[in-house]
Every structure is written in structure tokens, then in C-alpha cells.
Amino acid sequence: MALVRLAADDDVEGWRAAARGLALAGVPADAVHWQVGDGPADLFADAEPGVPPPAPGAEAFSVPRRFVELAETALLHADPERFARLYALLLRLRDQPRAIEDRADPLIRTIEDMAKAVRRDMHKMHAFLRFRAVEEAEGERFVAWYEPEHHIVRANAGFFVRRFSTLRWSILTPQLSLHWDGISLAEGPPGQRGDAPDADPAEAAWKTYYASIFNPARLKTAAMLREMPKKYWKNMPEAALVPALVADAQRREREMIMTAQTSPAGNATLALEALREEAAQCRRCPLWKPATQTVFGEGPAGAPLMFVGEQPGDQEDLAGHPFVGPAGQLFDRALGDAGVDRSRAYVTNAVKHFKFEPRGKRRIHAKPDSGEIEACRWWIEQERDIVRPALTVALGVTAAQSLTGRSITISRARGAPVRLADGGECWITVHPSFLLRIPEADRKAEEYARFVDDLRRIGARLAELTG
């Protein structure tokens, strides 16, 4: 029996190379023993690992792309038989490529179920992993403990690098640990739950926020447990609140019904206040260090219209309010000319801290980079979840990138609705500071008129959406 030794449980490339060699050598699936690392070998397996040479006349072959994608995911499953199952399917598809379409085939169904379980496990890690801050000699580091069901840690590393690119973090698991220093990713030995901190100073604010947005009228316990199984609760600070919130849900629901007439946006207002307090301690990127303070969004919690700018400017940073400087004053004038009532709108920025370059006594605006936009995107998503505007307006490319997750050219996107990932409607136009930077008076007047026209169309569209 051929012995194949893979480097790790998630050694997809090693399996792919070995499986191809075994197939060319004509080795049947039941004549291979798959071993990971120095694990126990089969009693009847060859003493030394290796793949036999290709059989005489063996030719290179291909398999359906769907199998390749299925194998890349299913190979991360914890089932020790996964390597043999996928090799057996590979041999079949070499001669019958269309067999991959047979969804009733027991082997294909088993492997598809394995891939589905792996994808679900990856999603749970994205959703339920919680970082806690610890102080180190080099500065603040965020550490998380997580216990995946399958071998997904390396496969998930790219997600956390992209999402928290500007932070220093470590993810500890029973399989291995990952460490990101803002530049490179390193692997370490497995961790233990006790290696990760139990709590950090921001946790109290997070619990307050979670309790504020918990809506007892929408409580569906079975669905909640299905989406957020109890085994993940030990890593989630907000989970400690769930039993009491569920137990108190009926009383709160009755109170909500009784007070709905007089305070329809009360719950959202509380949630925004809790979120504002949490954002005041934000350390998700380095911009908080030189800035005076976090400049959070302002406006009614139930506003039907939300404007998202780039970042606070010099005066906003000092005042702690968005759109109060020269660009904000121009914005107010344009809203007035377009007949849009700012008092009914929620106004915020894609980035909550002022990024600048010091030049003598002056602080010169500096454009936030993609990592800083991504770090602050979490706040925008929470604001939109709470306010739930019928229409969101991106003022400038930074806001458009934050809302859509991709680079946008204003001239192409302007004047038409864009559907956001959550189904919301977004319109894109220029940032008022763009108008301030135009030196020619004629062109400045022309662009101002275009901006007012955009706002006028947005107002009309809002009227259509809200009746």
C-alpha cells in the first residue's frame, strides 16, 4: 500500500500533487494510506512515503473546474477520510468528467456536505471571533482565542489581514496561532484558551451597545441559536447578556408597544449613543493618536436620509461635530438651494478621525488610505444598521469606497442609484470640499450648480421612497 505523507491537515497542494501522481501511476483509491505529518501509519502501508512513477503510456489528464473548487474546500474538513474520498472521486472523474453533475451520487453528496460544513465554519470564525486588547512593550496588540471545527485557520488568515490590516493582532487556536504585525503574517505553535485575555476596557462599552440594539420584538430564540450556537458564546462578551435579555424580552416588548406612539426612535437613539461612546475609544487604526477626538455622526436616529463624507477636517476635529467647517457651510448652502432639510438627515463621515500632515502651525488635510477606510467601515455599517436610512448619499470617492467596498469613479457613478450589499439605495456625488478647491470662478459656479442639481434629484428620489 502506497504511503502519502502530507505536511499538514490543510496541505491542499500536497494532496493535489500526490493525487495526480498516484492517478498517473494507476494506484487505486483503496491502495493508498494518507498520513498527516508524523501521525500513525497504517500497518500495511509502505515503510517510506512516496508516489510510484507514472504507468507506461499514462497521459496527463484534467478534471472539471467544479471538482477543483470543491476539493480545495472539502480538504479542510476534519474528517480523516477526506483525502481518500476525494482521491476516489478524482479517479472516477478522470474517466467520467460529467459524473460531477450527478448530485444524487452518495460520494459527491458526502463531499459537498463536507465543503458546506467548512464554508459554514469559516463564516462562524469571521462572525464570532472577538479580539481583546493587551498592552505590550511595542504597543497595543489585539488577541483572540478561537476553536474551529475544521482546518480553516490558514484559509481564513487573508480575511483578517484585510479587515484589520492596520492593527497588530494574534489569533490563537488549538491548531496553530497567527500573528500580524501590520506588515507580515507569521505562524506560531498552537495556543491555549488561557493564553488569551478574558476582557479588555472596551468590552463594557460593547456590552452596552449590544444591550441597546437588542430588539425584544424581533426575538426568535431558535433562529438565534441556529445562527449563533452556544459553543461560540464563551468567546463573545455580549453572549453573557443573552440569557437575561431573552428572559426580559417579553416585558421589554410590552413596554416598546406602549411607548411606540411617543418615542418611535427611542431604541435606535440609545443604540447610537452607545455606539458613539464606543467610537470615542476607537483604536482600530493609528489615526486616533494625533487627532483631537473622534468625530461621530449626528442627526435623527430614524433619519430617512444619510450623508457620508470623507473624514472630519481641521475645524470638525476641534469642535467634535461633522460638517461645521468651510465645506460644511457650503454643504448647508447647497442643501438649502436644493430644498433638502438637513435637520431630517443623519450626517457622518467614512473615517472618524482627522488625518493630517503638520506644516508649521497648520494641519494640512491628508487623504485616508484603504486600510484606514476599511478600519472605520465597521462604524459606518453600525450607523446604517441603526438608522436604516431609505437613501444614503456618498460625498466623494472615500465615502463611495467605504459604502460599496470598491473604488468608484465619481463621474461614472454620479446621477444614478447604486445598490449596496445590504440592499440599501445609495447615490454618489462630489464632496463639497471639491468645490472649494476649484480656483476658477466660472467653473466653481458650474460645479456648484451640478452639486445642487444632484441634491435636488436626491431629494426627489427620497420623496418617492418615503412617500
Side-chain angles (χ1 to χ4, degrees):
M1 178 176 288
L3 172 62
V4 175
R5 184 174 293 163
L6 301 175
D9 282 301
D10 58 352
D11 185 7
V12 174
E13 290 304 317
W15 177 88
R16 191 202 302 262
R20 182 171 293 277
L22 291 165
L24 290 173
V27 180
D30 58 2
V32 184
H33 176 71
W34 299 89
Q35 178 183 337
V36 175
D38 296 324
D42 188 274
L43 181 63
F44 301 102
D46 293 345
E48 294 298 327
V51 175
E59 296 181 354
F61 65 94
S62 62
V63 292
R65 178 65 190 168
R66 183 160 169 266
F67 169 76
V68 176
E69 295 171 350
L70 190 63
E72 287 175 347
T73 305
L75 283 168
L76 303 180
H77 198 277
D79 182 356
E81 296 299 318
R82 63 193 182 281
F83 303 119
R85 293 183 196 275
L86 280 154
Y87 179 57
L89 181 56
L90 172 73
L91 292 180
R92 186 190 305 174
L93 296 177
R94 181 183 58 175
D95 302 324
Q96 307 170 50
R98 297 181 66 85
I100 192 69
E101 305 298 332
D102 184 3
R103 302 296 180 91
D105 182 275
L107 179 57
I108 293 176
R109 286 175 55 187
T110 297
I111 293 174
E112 286 188 335
D113 287 345
M114 292 165 64
K116 184 178 180 181
V118 169
R119 289 193 294 271
R120 188 186 306 116
D121 199 28
M122 295 180 74
H123 167 72
K124 300 297 185 191
M125 187 174 178
H126 295 172
F128 300 141
L129 184 142
R130 294 290 185 269
F131 285 106
R132 272 120 173 172
V134 296
E135 289 296 332
E136 296 181 337
E138 300 83 3
E140 198 170 43
R141 174 175 287 276
F142 295 85
V143 181
W145 166 253
Y146 194 78
E147 297 173 71
E149 291 184 4
H150 305 290
H151 305 289
I152 60 168
V153 180
R154 289 191 185 90
N156 257 350
F159 170 84
F160 291 100
V161 167
R162 291 189 298 274
R163 192 166 183 85
F164 304 108
S165 61
T166 60
L167 304 180
R168 298 171 63 250
W169 52 257
S170 295
I171 297 175
L172 312 180
T173 80
Q175 300 171 2
L176 75 159
S177 55
L178 298 176
H179 307 281
W180 172 254
D181 62 3
I183 299 174
S184 60
L185 186 70
E187 290 186 11
Q192 298 181 1
R193 181 174 176 75
D195 298 333
D198 289 330
D200 67 19
E203 213 154 276
W206 168 245
K207 287 181 178 179
T208 302
Y209 163 67
Y210 182 82
S212 299
I213 64 171
F214 182 84
N215 187 345
R218 299 175 63 186
L219 175 63
K220 295 181 179 179
T221 307
M224 182 179 71
L225 291 174
R226 195 165 52 246
E227 177 62 23
M228 191 172 73
K230 281 189 174 181
K231 65 181 179 181
Y232 299 106
W233 289 20
K234 57 181 177 295
N235 299 324
M236 303 167 65
E238 67 271 29
L241 303 174
V242 171
L245 290 171
V246 171
D248 199 35
Q250 289 189 348
R251 179 190 64 77
R252 290 185 60 194
E253 184 179 10
R254 287 195 298 271
E255 289 182 353
M256 287 176 62
I257 294 172
M258 294 177 66
T259 58
Q261 297 291 331
T262 56
S263 183
N267 207 41
T269 300
L270 289 174
L272 271 181
E273 285 303 316
L275 190 65
R276 181 195 307 279
E277 292 177 10
E278 186 188 355
Q281 306 301 320
C282 181
R283 303 293 187 268
R284 298 172 75 89
C285 79
L287 291 185
W288 66 274
K289 294 179 181 177
T292 304
Q293 58 192 310
T294 302
V295 180
F296 201 69
E298 293 182 348
L305 178 62
M306 176 182 284
F307 288 100
V308 181
E310 182 193 70
Q311 63 164 349
D314 182 77
Q315 294 189 26
E316 285 87 356
D317 171 72
L318 297 174
H321 302 286
F323 284 85
V324 296
Q329 294 166 19
L330 180 63
F331 180 51
D332 285 347
R333 179 159 68 90
L335 286 173
D337 290 344
V340 177
D341 185 358
R342 175 170 170 169
S343 67
R344 294 187 61 223
Y346 185 88
V347 181
T348 188
N349 282 299
V351 175
K352 308 301 185 193
H353 285 110
F354 179 36
K355 182 178 182 180
F356 61 90
E357 296 175 1
R359 292 184 191 172
K361 294 183 179 180
R362 299 182 60 197
R363 303 190 300 174
I364 306 301
H365 166 275
K367 183 179 174 62
D369 61 32
S370 295
E372 291 153 354
I373 296 170
E374 183 63 27
C376 240
R377 194 176 178 190
W378 190 87
W379 298 113
I380 283 289
E381 291 175 349
Q382 300 306 310
E383 287 177 291
R384 293 192 70 252
D385 281 348
I386 295 170
V387 178
R388 299 184 180 182
L391 197 155
T392 303
V393 182
L395 300 170
V397 294
T398 297
Q401 180 178 342
S402 172
L403 290 167
T404 66
R406 65 182 191 275
S407 297
I408 294 286
T409 301
I410 297 293
S411 58
R412 293 177 184 169
R414 195 173 186 177
V418 175
R419 190 61 58 187
L420 299 179
D422 61 3
E425 182 169 319
C426 176
W427 287 61
I428 299 171
T429 184
V430 297
H431 193 282
S433 63
F434 161 73
L435 306 174
L436 294 174
R437 295 194 297 271
I438 299 175
E440 304 89 355
D442 291 348
R443 182 165 171 250
K444 177 176 288 191
E446 179 182 338
E447 289 295 339
Y448 177 79
R450 287 190 65 193
F451 183 49
V452 172
D453 284 344
D454 284 350
L455 295 176
R456 194 173 286 125
R457 279 195 291 272
I458 288 165
R461 177 57 178 158
L462 180 64
E464 292 177 2
L465 292 174
T466 60

